[in-house]
Amino acid sequence: MPAKGKRPKPGQGASAQGATTLVVVESPAKAKSIQKMLGPGYEVRASRGHVADLPERSLGVDVARDFAPTYEVKKDKKPVVEELKRAAQGKRLLIATDPDREGEAIGWHVARLLGRDPKEPIRVEFHEITPRVVRQAVEAPRPIDQNLVDAQQARRVLDRLLGYNLSPLLSLEFRKRALSAGRVQSVALRLVVEREEEIEAFQKEEYWTLTGTFAVEGKTLLAALLEAEGKRLWTGQGEKEGRLHLRTEAEAKALAEAVAGLPYRVDQVEVRERRKSPPPPFTTSTLQQAASTRLGYTASRTMRIAQRLYEGVDLPEGTVGLITYMRTDSVRVSPEALALAREVIGEVFGEDFLPEAPRVYKNRKEGVQDAHEAIRPTDPRRTPESVRPYLSEEEYRLYELIWRRFLASQMKDALYEQTSVLLKSEGGRYLFRASGSVLKFEGYLRAWGREEEGEEPPVPAVPEGALAKLLQATPERHFTEPPPRYTDASLVKTMEELGIGRPSTYAPTLETLEKRGYVERRGRTLLPTPLGRQVTRYLKERFPQVVAYEFTARMEDRLDEVEEGKAPWPRVVWEFYEPFLGELAQVPKRTCPRCGRPLELKVSRYGQFLGCTGYPECTYTEPLEKREAEPIGEACPKCGRPLVRKEGRYGSFIACSGYPECDYTRDDGRPTGHTCPKCGARVLEKRSKRGKPYYKCENGACDFLSFYPLLEETCPACGWPLVKKGGKALCMNPGCPEHDPKLLPAPKASPKGEGGKAKPRPKGRPSKGAAKVGLPGDWEELKPFLAELSPEERRAAEALARGEALEGEAARLAKRVLFKLRVKKGRAKKAVAKA
């Protein structure tokens, strides 16, 4: 038993004491589930992801020696590795990391660090975490697959070579920290940017259609004009030869008058049966698409929830994984799972919904890695409702989606009766068509639902040859539509169609684009930011192959060939790196204004900055994020001089160009159209560092702030604008009787003493952030270097010079400024001494 008062980690309970086999997995949740399934004799521990990687502060790849990588244990994983080494002493080792390239590489690193031979049978795979599969797997270990490891090594080395060379270039070009580029990331960004450019360049065109209301044997039909004078109606963008295009209201009205008053007859009635087959079970991309469309989940959120469902949920029968492995591009399903699915369909939906034989799906794409099955329930007999009490709401909704899709994939076709009626004028000059459909048999739709069907209303039954009277011809105005913006679903679908990325990369790619500030979300759609556009434009100009769709897709195919043992990984890396080097050599270097040598991105304890490569002979430096003030076309309300947009440590802000004579400033953000209920100023939409929107009063002296979107409706009790949270309209005014306290952030807990009371602060000790700073004795020697400070730093220095007693954040900034000035003063003295 563990020592009293200490909670055992996963795998460290009673079963660990007599264990003879150590099983290493990736996550603690997975370790907990598998420990319960294996029981005594096994100790299960988690590596908590990657334990080793390329070094953080150097390239770590020897290009001259076939791109030989140098791996080191990650700083935060050193205690984990030491624990694994202790746990592995005298035990048999089994490595059960995720069944993909990345999991294989993690397992290879674990074996290497624990001093085990990867060629020994130490690797086991769980495509689903259920007691039967887990026990079968540990009884049949295999050696680590070096081809999988090499494919992951090639990907990692490629990413490092690209990022190590491109990221500093982007930071130099755009004078901004934390920029990055990547083979998949940059191409995905290009897709988003080019779609937005296509939308902006789109010129909408007006067009008209004609709908006729006909009476046929006492029944009313609505039919659309199909042909006029032998020409089919065209409703697309631009002109089309041989087609009729109604561009103006006058043309449409003239045609409406021409078709009126003519006798019509039912020329043709066609009734046919249309079958609609069910979609295959989920792959990674189709799961992300369906979760985005039906549930509104982002790709990364979908994968986080799926990971939990895969790793195991505590049920009354024990801990079990509810779904199979969720990173797959295969639609294959095991015969055992098919048999269970048919059993459940018969019980839940009825035998009428079962096809004669199980459906077998084939992958449409070539080169699909078929090692994993499609994403499905590990046991379809676990209905969503039966496991709902043990799941969070989002876990339940995603599990229900996967369960319904899997069962639907094994059900009969949906049957429609589709009717088409053609009505022709006497002489055949004009032709109208009415069409509709009726669902005759639900088939798979009983499980999957009809959300995406877009069904037509039925058409009344009329006989061929019957006379038809045109009661009214109604012109209708339309405009052509630009292509829609990308959502997570459509972007992942496009990436898959182009062969860009693989199942494990879709979600991280989208997350990185948002984290870097290259794209932002508006509802479910993805929009490129100005920075994202600039980066794409720069990469297309300087590194066309990095963002080329075909070249990137070809590299993914070559990595698959490495995995299959058909190509050595150094050769594949060279195929990408050689043309990249050629493009890199053409990029002009930013030069030092003092000595003409190239500038480079450097890192100090205070962050990134630009420095001369001639150091220490040349000591020129400049801040990385150095931006000129940008006029915004408004006058300062205090003095009338132009207002400008400036960059500060907390982002952009609006200030008077007459600073320091005029100290007017305000927040920068997109106006929402709302006025502040506290002071009457405008409410702006701003973005946090993580890209999340929030709403703040532009008046710096006002503390109005909301983390929820403001609605047009106002609270009937107090008049404040209501905010939207969880689909509800709530009042955030703390003084209103209708106020919801959950809208305000919880107060930070204060240190507690005995009896739950806050501990008194010792006398003489200032509170956190209250340190004061005053003008130093060597101020006159520091003044010559003020010009090299940023505007915000200069303001802090000038406040010191005016004798203001600074406290809190202002005091901390002033201290950093003084330190920076003294560094510059010291460098200047050294330069004089050398001269």
Side-chain angles (χ1 to χ4, degrees):
M1 292 292 290
K4 187 176 181 180
K6 292 185 178 180
R7 180 177 296 175
K9 295 180 181 178
Q12 285 186 320
S15 61
Q17 292 188 353
T20 58
T21 301
L22 174 67
V23 181
V24 179
V25 298
E26 285 180 69
S27 76
K30 191 175 174 183
K32 178 183 174 184
S33 299
I34 294 172
Q35 181 69 72
K36 291 178 180 178
M37 295 173 190
L38 292 177
Y42 292 87
E43 180 181 358
V44 187
R45 285 184 176 259
S47 71
R48 299 178 180 271
H50 288 274
V51 291
D53 198 4
L54 299 172
E56 288 185 10
R57 296 189 176 275
S58 61
L59 179 61
V61 177
D62 192 336
V63 177
R65 291 178 51 244
D66 280 342
F67 303 101
T70 300
Y71 294 110
E72 58 183 35
V73 177
K74 300 173 78 172
K75 188 182 297 184
D76 60 330
K77 293 301 173 62
K78 287 181 179 179
V80 175
V81 171
E82 291 304 315
E83 284 183 14
L84 291 177
K85 286 180 178 178
R86 286 193 294 270
Q89 290 177 3
K91 293 189 182 77
R92 175 192 179 212
L93 176 66
L94 292 178
I95 296 172
T97 45
D98 285 349
D100 55 16
R101 291 176 188 167
E102 199 168 3
E104 203 78 12
I106 292 172
W108 180 75
H109 283 299
V110 169
R112 181 176 59 87
L113 292 169
L114 300 187
R116 305 299 174 92
D117 186 356
K119 296 178 181 178
E120 294 178 358
I122 58 174
R123 177 77 165 109
V124 294
E125 287 185 335
F126 308 133
H127 298 283
E128 59 182 76
I129 300 179
T130 56
R132 178 183 61 84
V133 171
V134 167
R135 293 188 191 109
Q136 286 178 352
V138 297
E139 290 171 6
R142 61 165 174 80
I144 285 177
D145 189 333
Q146 192 60 41
N147 290 333
L148 286 173
V149 176
D150 288 345
Q152 179 62 24
Q153 278 197 127
R155 177 184 291 279
R156 185 70 188 96
V157 168
L158 276 173
D159 290 345
R160 171 54 63 94
L161 291 171
L162 192 71
Y164 199 84
N165 288 287
L166 266 187
S167 297
L169 275 181
L170 292 178
S171 293
L172 280 166
E173 180 69 21
F174 300 106
R175 310 299 293 269
K176 191 173 179 66
R177 294 180 176 87
L179 299 187
S180 67
R183 292 177 310 107
V184 178
Q185 167 195 322
S186 299
V187 176
L189 176 60
R190 178 184 174 182
L191 284 169
V192 177
V193 169
E194 290 185 343
R195 173 59 59 86
E196 193 65 24
E197 290 172 347
E198 193 178 348
I199 292 169
E200 291 170 350
F202 184 84
Q203 298 291 324
K204 69 177 181 179
E205 295 180 0
E206 180 181 348
Y207 71 93
W208 291 75
T209 59
L210 211 60
T211 301
T213 305
F214 291 86
V216 182
E217 295 190 346
K219 298 174 182 176
T220 303
L221 269 76
L222 291 177
L225 178 70
L226 186 65
E227 286 184 12
E229 306 289 355
K231 289 185 177 182
R232 282 282 178 107
L233 191 66
W234 170 248
T235 58
Q237 186 82 358
E239 299 287 346
K240 192 165 185 178
E241 189 176 352
R243 293 288 191 95
L244 172 65
H245 195 174
L246 300 177
R247 300 180 62 89
T248 65
E249 184 179 9
E251 291 176 359
K253 285 185 175 180
L255 188 59
E257 291 175 4
V259 301
L262 297 176
Y264 288 84
R265 188 176 296 275
V266 176
D267 184 62
Q268 180 183 334
V269 177
E270 183 183 10
V271 180
R272 63 186 180 88
E273 184 181 84
R274 179 170 65 91
R275 289 177 172 270
K276 188 162 185 181
S277 299
F282 281 134
T283 61
T284 302
S285 68
T286 55
L287 173 64
Q288 291 172 0
Q289 292 167 44
S292 173
T293 303
R294 291 199 171 198
L295 307 179
Y297 294 169
T298 63
S300 55
R301 182 182 181 185
T302 300
M303 296 309 289
R304 284 195 298 270
I305 302 167
Q307 182 84 32
R308 298 200 297 268
L309 295 174
Y310 162 72
E311 289 181 341
V313 174
D314 291 331
L315 303 177
E317 66 200 69
T319 302
V320 65
L322 292 184
I323 65 170
T324 54
Y325 192 55
M326 63 286 162
R327 295 186 182 93
T328 176
D329 51 5
S330 172
V331 292
R332 178 178 62 83
V333 175
S334 69
E336 296 83 4
L338 291 179
L340 280 177
R342 290 175 64 81
E343 178 185 319
V344 173
I345 291 168
E347 292 175 358
V348 176
F349 301 104
E351 297 292 332
D352 292 343
F353 290 86
L354 267 177
E356 292 182 5
R359 292 183 181 271
V360 178
Y361 294 91
K362 293 183 179 179
N363 297 300
R364 295 181 181 178
K365 263 190 351 174
E366 293 183 6
V368 166
Q369 303 303 303
D370 204 40
H372 308 145
E373 290 187 52
I375 303 170
R376 60 168 177 82
T378 54
D379 187 343
R381 292 172 296 190
R382 294 190 190 95
T383 64
E385 289 305 320
S386 70
V387 297
R388 187 170 193 169
Y390 313 102
L391 302 177
S392 66
E393 183 61 23
E394 62 180 8
E395 289 169 346
Y396 163 74
R397 295 181 72 195
L398 190 67
Y399 179 71
E400 182 186 38
L401 192 72
I402 295 169
W403 185 86
R404 288 188 174 278
R405 175 69 166 239
F406 177 57
L407 291 186
S409 72
Q410 290 302 316
M411 294 170 73
K412 281 185 176 179
D413 293 347
L415 296 182
Y416 291 89
E417 183 181 270
Q418 192 151 359
T419 305
S420 176
V421 178
L422 295 179
L423 301 108
K424 187 178 287 187
S425 67
E426 191 174 281
R429 294 174 60 195
Y430 304 107
L431 185 67
F432 286 80
R433 182 177 66 184
S435 62
S437 61
V438 177
L439 181 64
K440 290 294 188 180
F441 177 67
E442 276 187 296
Y444 78 92
L445 296 175
R446 175 66 68 90
W448 184 234
R450 296 159 67 174
E451 285 90 338
E452 296 97 10
E453 289 306 291
E455 297 166 4
E456 298 177 299
V459 173
V462 293
E464 277 190 14
L467 292 176
K469 183 179 180 181
L470 179 59
L471 304 176
Q472 184 179 4
T474 308
E476 295 179 4
R477 186 188 191 190
H478 309 273
F479 291 95
T480 53
E481 295 287 339
R485 289 188 174 97
Y486 281 114
T487 62
D488 280 39
S490 57
L491 184 56
V492 167
K493 183 178 181 181
T494 303
M495 290 170 66
E496 184 182 39
E497 289 171 350
L498 293 174
I500 299 164
R502 286 297 180 261
S504 61
T505 63
Y506 298 136
T509 297
L510 270 61
E511 200 168 19
T512 300
L513 291 179
E514 197 173 0
K515 189 187 301 179
R516 299 296 185 212
Y518 294 155
V519 301
E520 62 182 9
R521 295 184 183 276
R522 187 172 297 170
R524 294 186 184 183
T525 59
L526 299 169
L527 283 82
T529 62
L531 177 63
R533 291 172 183 257
Q534 293 166 2
V535 168
T536 296
R537 195 178 305 120
Y538 176 79
L539 291 176
K540 285 171 70 174
E541 179 185 344
R542 299 293 185 189
F543 300 92
Q545 293 205 75
V546 171
V547 290
Y549 300 136
E550 303 80 6
F551 188 68
T552 306
R554 171 62 181 156
M555 287 310 305
E556 293 291 352
D557 293 338
R558 292 290 281 156
L559 288 173
D560 290 343
E561 290 175 17
V562 173
E563 180 174 331
E564 295 161 11
K566 296 178 180 177
W569 75 266
R571 184 195 300 169
V572 171
V573 173
W574 179 249
E575 288 173 11
F576 182 87
Y577 190 55
E578 184 182 25
F580 173 69
L581 280 180
E583 293 175 346
L584 187 64
Q586 302 300 316
V587 178
K589 303 291 189 294
R590 190 182 293 272
T591 56
C592 173
R594 288 185 186 172
C595 67
R597 282 176 281 202
L599 291 177
E600 66 179 358
L601 191 68
K602 296 188 175 185
V603 181
S604 73
R605 59 185 293 193
Y606 299 105
Q608 294 176 318
F609 65 96
L610 302 185
C612 181
T613 52
Y615 181 84
E617 289 80 13
C618 178
T619 58
Y620 177 80
T621 63
E622 61 180 70
L624 177 63
E625 298 191 6
K626 183 179 179 182
R627 292 188 182 180
E628 298 298 326
E630 173 192 352
I632 65 169
E634 291 183 32
C636 174
K638 269 192 174 183
C639 68
R641 281 176 281 200
L643 291 176
V644 293
R645 179 177 286 105
K646 295 183 176 183
E647 290 293 327
R649 62 180 305 196
Y650 299 112
S652 62
F653 65 97
I654 305 301
C656 180
S657 57
Y659 179 83
E661 290 83 8
C662 178
D663 62 355
Y664 175 81
T665 63
R666 74 165 189 247
D667 277 330
D668 184 24
R670 186 176 67 84
T672 61
H674 290 277
T675 57
C676 175
K678 289 190 172 183
C679 69
R682 294 185 303 175
V683 175
L684 306 177
E685 178 184 322
K686 296 174 68 67
R687 295 267 165 180
S688 68
K689 289 183 179 179
R690 295 187 177 181
K692 300 291 184 183
Y694 65 96
Y695 307 88
K696 186 178 186 300
C697 178
E698 69 175 346
N699 178 5
C702 179
D703 63 353
F704 177 78
L705 175 69
S706 172
F707 293 104
Y708 306 99
L710 275 64
L711 302 175
E712 293 298 328
E713 302 98 306
T714 57
C715 175
C718 68
W720 277 42
L722 297 175
V723 297
K724 182 179 179 182
K725 181 186 179 186
K728 297 180 180 179
L730 304 171
C731 181
M732 64 171 295
N733 180 6
C736 177
E738 301 296 325
H739 170 65
D740 186 343
K742 293 179 182 178
L743 293 175
L744 295 178
K748 293 183 179 178
S750 59
K752 300 288 183 180
E754 293 182 9
K757 296 181 180 180
K759 290 181 181 178
R761 183 177 292 111
K763 291 183 179 180
R765 182 184 296 176
S767 63
K768 186 179 179 182
K772 298 182 180 180
V773 61
L775 197 66
D778 59 347
W779 177 247
E780 291 301 321
E781 298 177 36
L782 301 179
K783 283 173 67 176
F785 304 101
L786 290 174
E788 299 182 44
L789 298 176
S790 69
E792 189 178 18
E793 291 170 337
R794 283 201 299 274
R795 287 200 295 272
E798 287 159 0
L800 277 176
R802 291 194 294 268
E804 296 180 12
L806 303 179
E807 296 185 5
E809 189 60 40
R812 284 192 286 273
L813 176 59
K815 282 186 175 182
R816 285 195 294 273
V817 168
L818 291 176
F819 178 83
K820 190 171 183 179
L821 290 173
R822 289 194 176 101
V823 169
K824 293 181 180 296
K825 169 187 163 185
R827 286 177 178 172
K829 285 185 176 180
K830 287 182 181 178
V832 171
K834 286 182 179 179

